[in-house]
Amino acid sequence: MPELPEVEVVRAGLERHVAGRVITSVDVLHPRAIRRHVPGADDFAGRLAGVKITAARRRGKYLWLDLADGEAMLAHLGMSGQMLVQPASAPDEKHLRVRVRFADAGPELRFVDQRTFGGLALDELVDVDGTLVPASVAHVGRDPMDPLFDLAAAVAALRGKRTEVKRALLDQTLVSGIGNIYADEALWRARLHGTRPTERLTRAQGELVLTAATEVMADALGAGGTSFDALYVNVNGESGYFERSLAVYGRAGEPCRRCGALIRREAFTNRSSYFCPRCQRRPRRSPMAR
C-alpha cells in the first residue's frame, strides 16, 4: 500500500491542480468507491456540487481535500487507488469509479481503483492539538515530516511500548506515515533488527531510527515515491523511481549495499521483512524471555 512519500506526491499534485477550483458535479460510477460515505452516492454528489476545494492535505498516509463549507473529502487510496487529473476529452479509464467536474471546465479529477479497496467519503474537520483533520483521522499521530512533529515525545512513546521495534514503527497512532517498505529501510540505516524489543532501545537508538525513517522518506519523495507496478502513480499517471535506491526491501539474496552480506527475507505477519544479517544483528533474547 502507498506510504507517506507516495501519498505526499499525490497531495502535492492535487494542491497544484484542484485547489481553488469549484466543483460543479460528481458522478459516482461504482458504489464501493463511496461505501465509507454512509448516506450514499446521491448525498455525496449533492453535497459537493457548488463547493470550492481550498487545499489538499495529508497526515501520514491519509489524504484529504479541505472544502470551503468546512468539511473534507477524505481519499482512501487502498492498494490500487489513484487520484488522476485528466482532460475531459480523455477516454474513461477501465476502472474509473468517481468523476469530479469543475466550474472552469478544466481537467477533471478522477478516482480510479482497480481493486476497489479504496474510496472517497465526506467527513467533518475537528481540531486535534491545534490542527484541523478529518474526524476519522483524529487518532492518527503526526508524521516525521510534520513541522509540529515532536521527536523527543515520539522517542519516549516508542521506548514506552512493549513490542518489537518494527511493529512500533508501523503503529500509525504512534508515528504515522511509515509502512512496511520504509520501516525496513529505516531499520537498515539505523543498523537495528526489526525484532529488537522497544523497551531495550536506548534514547539514542530511538532518535536514530526515527531520523532514518524521516531521511529515507524524504529521499523517496525526491524520487517521486516507490512504484513496484503501474498502480502507484502521481496525478499525471507517472510512476516514482525510488525502487532503484532501496537498500534492503525486495532485495532478498542480493548483496548489502554497505557490507556485501546477502539480504534476507523473513515472514512478517502477512507481509515480509528484509534485513542484512551482518549489519542488523538479531537481538539476544533476555533470560526472562527464555
Side-chain angles (χ1 to χ4, degrees):
M1 294 180 67
E3 301 179 28
L4 185 154
E6 293 76 46
V7 176
E8 173 58 21
V9 167
V10 176
R11 186 213 63 79
L14 293 174
E15 180 71 26
R16 186 164 57 252
H17 292 288
V18 305
R21 301 175 70 190
V22 176
I23 298 169
T24 53
S25 65
V26 176
D27 299 329
V28 177
L29 305 175
H30 196 297
R32 276 186 58 81
I34 51 91
R35 66 188 179 280
R36 295 179 178 87
H37 186 75
V38 178
D42 289 343
D43 181 83
F44 181 80
R47 285 163 61 181
L48 283 172
V51 176
K52 183 178 182 179
I53 296 173
T54 59
R57 303 196 188 278
R58 175 194 56 76
R59 173 165 288 194
K61 308 175 191 179
Y62 295 83
L63 173 70
W64 68 91
L65 298 174
D66 279 354
L67 305 174
D69 63 1
E71 288 191 303
M73 182 167 71
L74 189 63
H76 298 266
L77 298 182
M79 296 181 67
S80 60
Q82 301 172 345
M83 299 288 279
L84 303 179
V85 176
Q86 295 279 50
S89 59
D92 287 358
E93 293 77 8
K94 180 179 180 180
H95 303 290
L96 177 61
R97 308 305 186 193
V98 178
R99 183 201 321 275
V100 179
R101 295 187 177 91
F102 296 94
D104 57 17
E108 301 173 345
L109 175 61
R110 300 180 180 182
F111 179 68
V112 178
D113 190 4
Q114 177 180 324
R115 298 170 184 167
T116 64
F117 291 154
L120 307 177
L122 295 180
D123 201 359
E124 65 174 324
L125 290 169
V126 297
D127 188 300
V128 179
D129 297 329
T131 302
L132 289 176
V133 300
S136 56
V137 180
H139 67 288
V140 177
R142 293 187 185 275
D143 64 67
M145 293 185 178
D146 189 318
L148 298 179
F149 179 72
D150 188 332
L151 178 60
V155 169
L158 184 73
R159 297 177 68 215
K161 289 279 187 179
R162 295 190 64 83
T163 186
E164 297 173 347
V165 62
K166 180 172 178 177
R167 294 180 185 275
L169 290 175
L170 298 178
D171 183 347
Q172 301 300 296
T173 66
L174 182 66
V175 178
S176 65
I178 306 172
N180 203 42
I181 296 174
Y182 300 116
D184 282 356
E185 293 295 303
L187 289 164
W188 180 82
R189 291 192 181 199
R191 297 175 181 260
L192 291 171
H193 196 280
T195 61
R196 178 176 290 276
T198 49
E199 65 268 24
R200 288 166 56 187
L201 284 177
T202 65
R203 184 174 290 104
Q205 287 174 325
E207 292 179 354
L208 183 62
V209 72
L210 289 179
T211 299
T214 306
E215 292 172 349
V216 72
M217 290 193 293
D219 291 345
L221 181 57
T226 300
S227 299
F228 286 108
D229 58 39
L231 299 180
Y232 298 100
V233 296
N234 63 18
V235 297
N236 298 314
E238 300 164 338
S239 298
Y241 53 89
F242 189 67
E243 179 191 0
R244 306 170 192 172
S245 302
L246 293 172
V248 288
Y249 190 86
R251 298 188 63 242
E254 299 180 36
C256 173
R257 302 190 193 278
R258 188 163 50 208
C259 74
L262 298 184
I263 301 300
R264 291 183 185 172
R265 170 192 173 278
E266 289 184 347
F268 176 78
T269 61
N270 60 341
R271 293 170 287 185
S272 300
S273 284
Y274 297 87
F275 65 97
C276 172
R278 185 179 298 163
C279 294
Q280 298 167 267
R281 299 288 187 182
R282 189 182 299 276
R284 295 179 180 178
R285 298 177 66 189
S286 67
M288 182 174 296
R290 290 198 297 271

